[in-house]
Amino acid sequence: MDKKTTSRDGTSLAYGVMGQGPTVILVSGAMSTGGTVAPLAHRLTDRCTAVVYDRRGRGESGDTPPYAVDREVEDLAALIDAVGGEAALFGVSSGGALVLHAAASGLPIGRAAVYEVPYADHLAGGAAREATYKEQLNTALAEGRRGDAVELFLRLTGLGEEMIQRARQSPMWAGMEAVAPSLAHDDAVMGDGLLPRDRVAAISVPVLAVAGGASPEWMHRANQAVAEAAPQGTYRVLPGQTHMVEPDVLGPVLAEFFAG
């Protein structure tokens, strides 16, 4: 990240800009930084100006307590101001939930797109699972057990115990523990885990909700529900894709939506 701006509460935000055309800010999901979505941003640069940033509490950005979802909306407002005063937003996973929250708040955006926001309405036992995760996550972080917090998140995503233990032994584990406190941020963004239909219904700009064709059925239904709740919503499925979507597949879809 080669640029910095400051949010309303004084938090320093690191960001980078690439490409030319309509401006799009990419919002990463849990356990990720701006670098995570940089490969996707590069796929937009021939038609869009892509902006990647480290959300507060990650990478090169600061983190000013106490946390609130509205502070992350203010972060996006600061970024929009820094890159020209208007932008479109794209968010992946829980970053998509933040995008929807921001779009409903009235920020100066022209369009919003999300990929596989994991709302649990259509997941068996989803609300109960979210409540249990929230309690265990907050306890682990309060006790300084960052590794346990990361494990909880990986189990939530469906990763098996053997893979989790392999991850613990990998060189990437230290970096995962470093951003573990931000898991509480994403948990707050997701709320009770259910689609906030009234909030999405208040979004006045076009919304594109996308899911991968190889993802679970509940994920398809969740993101179709996002499109149905938005007054100007559209739903797309990318054949063969999972939650770990390929930038070469998603990039052209987003470029067409944002640049027309």
Side-chain angles (χ1 to χ4, degrees):
M1 305 292 174
D2 59 351
K3 299 180 182 295
K4 291 286 184 72
T5 192
T6 303
S7 193
R8 182 177 180 181
D9 69 351
T11 300
S12 176
L13 302 172
Y15 71 101
V17 181
M18 61 189 82
Q20 58 184 358
T23 300
V24 182
I25 298 174
L26 285 74
V27 183
S28 63
M31 296 297 298
S32 61
T33 66
T36 309
V37 292
L40 176 59
H42 283 291
R43 302 314 191 277
L44 302 178
T45 54
D46 59 339
R47 300 183 67 183
C48 300
T49 298
V51 180
V52 296
Y53 77 108
D54 288 335
R55 289 172 57 187
R56 60 173 56 212
R58 316 169 193 220
E60 300 173 29
S61 290
D63 192 13
T64 305
Y67 177 82
V69 177
D70 285 346
R71 300 295 80 76
E72 289 218 69
V73 174
E74 291 170 358
D75 295 348
L76 284 168
L79 284 166
I80 292 171
D81 186 62
V83 298
E86 185 175 352
L89 299 178
F90 166 74
V92 59
S93 195
S94 54
L98 177 57
V99 162
L100 296 174
H101 191 105
S105 73
L107 293 187
I109 67 171
R111 289 175 174 249
V114 298
Y115 185 81
E116 291 202 348
V117 188
Y119 291 125
D121 304 53
H122 306 288
L123 176 64
R129 189 178 76 152
E130 171 62 28
T132 299
Y133 169 74
K134 185 185 295 289
E135 179 181 358
Q136 294 177 343
L137 175 68
N138 290 335
T139 298
L141 291 176
E143 295 176 354
R145 295 185 285 111
R146 292 190 176 192
D148 290 346
V150 175
E151 282 198 15
L152 284 167
F153 172 72
L154 294 179
R155 288 192 190 96
L156 186 72
T157 66
L159 199 64
E161 291 301 317
E162 183 178 348
M163 292 297 294
I164 291 174
Q165 295 311 311
R166 286 182 184 176
R168 262 196 179 273
Q169 305 305 316
S170 72
M172 70 177 67
W173 191 258
M176 297 172 77
E177 286 195 356
V179 298
S182 69
L183 286 170
H185 299 181
D186 287 276
D187 183 62
V189 168
M190 291 301 300
D192 62 3
L194 304 179
L195 173 64
R197 285 178 170 77
D198 290 347
R199 181 180 300 142
V200 176
I203 298 175
S204 61
V205 300
V207 173
L208 173 65
V210 187
S215 291
E217 178 61 27
W218 70 267
M219 188 72 82
H220 293 189
R221 296 174 66 188
N223 287 271
Q224 185 173 11
V226 170
E228 291 172 349
Q232 300 180 64
T234 302
Y235 177 59
R236 286 283 303 272
V237 175
L238 302 183
Q241 295 300 299
T242 66
H243 200 60
M244 303 298 290
V245 64
E246 292 292 334
D248 285 342
V249 176
L250 179 58
V253 174
L254 294 180
E256 178 65 27
F257 177 67
F258 290 127

